[in-house]
Amino acid sequence: IQSTADLSLVDDDGTADGVHRISFTTGAADVSSPFLYYVMATQSHIYVTFSETMDETSVTDVSNYAFESPTGTPVALTAEGGVTATYSTDDNTVTIEGATLIADDTFTMTVSNVADISGNVIDSAVRTSSGTVYDEAVYDPGSDTNSSESWDMATGFSEDD
């Protein structure tokens, strides 16, 4: 660092000087693969939450998601079919809209080719989640007026949390 205001800065040894050298070390690079925390679906929305901040380009590409509902029956998630995905860094959640699902059907979501902001690709051991499609008339994640009924959601934890 160099003083450009013609001020003499003082070193640790008390010597006045206009030039100072500073060194620092950053933390270790992120080498941990992200994983799915959980997936939740209603008739018109699929919410995919990841363990860490993700690369927005990869997680909003709907071709990176394979969805079955009922489990075993593929549901087309294509941009050409009007399916869109948006990403929120606030909670690391992708919201997929445009698919039509049936309440109380089972589902399985498999995620591929997505990466975190450090470029680590999703862990293949924790990239699939299953559940039941919730009825939007009873439960709407965007609403403050949900019923008091409890909901089961699959979760995952990493050693870094």
Side-chain angles (χ1 to χ4, degrees):
I1 296 176
Q2 184 170 359
S3 172
T4 58
D6 293 327
L7 298 175
S8 292
L9 303 173
V10 178
D11 288 331
D12 288 341
D13 65 4
T15 308
D17 192 352
V19 177
H20 292 270
R21 296 193 196 316
I22 298 174
S23 65
F24 61 92
T25 304
T26 61
D30 174 13
V31 295
S32 299
S33 294
F35 57 89
L36 289 178
Y37 262 143
Y38 65 85
V39 176
M40 200 226 22
T42 64
Q43 288 104 318
S44 63
H45 294 85
I46 303 167
Y47 302 92
V48 183
T49 302
F50 294 94
S51 60
E52 60 184 285
T53 305
M54 302 296 287
D55 168 65
E56 187 168 0
T57 300
S58 68
V59 296
T60 57
D61 181 348
V62 294
S63 69
N64 290 330
Y65 301 91
F67 196 81
E68 299 174 354
S69 185
T71 297
T73 304
V75 174
L77 299 179
T78 64
E80 297 80 18
V83 176
T84 61
T86 55
Y87 178 61
S88 169
T89 55
D90 292 338
D91 58 4
N92 301 325
T93 297
V94 175
T95 301
I96 299 172
E97 298 180 81
T100 302
L101 307 174
I102 298 171
D104 298 322
D105 273 358
T106 59
F107 72 80
T108 299
M109 165 71 82
T110 302
V111 181
S112 303
N113 303 317
V114 299
D116 64 19
I117 58 172
S118 296
N120 302 308
V121 178
I122 192 163
D123 187 333
S124 62
V126 278
R127 66 185 184 107
T128 300
S129 183
S130 298
T132 302
V133 177
Y134 293 126
D135 186 344
E136 288 176 345
V138 177
Y139 182 76
D140 177 6
S143 171
D144 292 331
T145 59
N146 293 310
S147 73
S148 60
E149 190 173 340
S150 64
W151 302 95
D152 295 324
M153 293 185 192
T155 60
F157 300 93
S158 75
E159 294 176 15
D160 297 330
D161 292 334

